[in-house]
């Protein structure tokens, strides 16, 4: 998944969706947004349009924190809950939301931490 990021992983925040089929095979990915140093805007309608157009059954979300701090913000938590509810209504599965940093060892997984 880190291969998706541009060289700006420690400079600009970017938000990506990884599209998967029913067997969790990767169909592709889509970079939803690129923002500034401290945030990026995610249009949930565009996210679900992308997932539906790809005919994905499940998906993973990922975004980076240029600060190097992998802890989710309140906005990250709220957005993940909102997307999870939408996925449930559309009979899709949100498998995880990852927050990555420039340090290959540092990341946060919502699923691993019981938040999905």
């Amino acid at each position: 998944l880190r291969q998706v990021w541009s060289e700006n992983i420690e400079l600009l925040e970017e938000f990506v969706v990884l599209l998967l089929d029913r067997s969790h095979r990767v169909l592709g990915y889509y970079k939803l947004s690129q923002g500034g140093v401290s945030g990026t805007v995610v249009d949930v309608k565009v996210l679900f349009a992308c997932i539906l157009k790809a005919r994905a059954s499940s998906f993973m979300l990922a975004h980076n924190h240029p600060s190097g701090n992998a802890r989710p913000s309140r906005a990250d938590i709220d957005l993940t809950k909102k997307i999870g509810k939408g996925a449930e209504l559309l009979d899709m599965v949100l498998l995880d939301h990852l927050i990555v940093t420039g340090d290959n060892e540092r990341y946060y997984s919502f699923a691993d931490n019981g938040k999905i």
Side-chain angles (χ1 to χ4, degrees), residues 84-96:
K85 287 178 185 176
E88 192 175 315
L89 287 171
L90 294 169
D91 199 25
M92 297 173 181
V93 180
L94 170 57
L95 296 172
D96 204 349

Side-chain angles (χ1 to χ4, degrees), residues 44-97:
V44 177
K45 291 182 291 287
V46 173
L47 168 69
F48 281 108
C50 176
I51 296 167
L52 289 166
K53 190 172 184 177
R55 289 182 256 157
S57 298
S58 58
F59 61 99
M60 291 177 64
L61 306 172
H63 78 281
N64 65 310
H65 279 178
S67 68
N69 179 354
R71 252 191 352 248
S73 66
R74 171 54 46 197
D76 294 336
I77 293 166
D78 292 345
L79 178 64
T80 304
K81 286 180 184 177
K82 182 178 183 177
I83 292 169
K85 287 178 185 176
E88 192 175 315
L89 287 171
L90 294 169
D91 199 25
M92 297 173 181
V93 180
L94 170 57
L95 296 172
D96 204 349
H97 182 173

Side-chain angles (χ1 to χ4, degrees), residues 1-2 4-5 13-18 30-33 40 42 47 59-65 94 96-100 108:
L1 188 59
R2 284 183 187 277
V4 170
W5 260 268
E13 191 164 316
E14 299 174 319
F15 197 97
V16 175
V17 59
L18 189 66
Y30 185 75
K31 192 176 291 188
L32 284 162
S33 65
T40 189
V42 176
L47 168 69
F59 61 99
M60 291 177 64
L61 306 172
H63 78 281
N64 65 310
H65 279 178
L94 170 57
D96 204 349
H97 182 173
L98 300 173
I99 300 172
V100 298
Y108 180 90

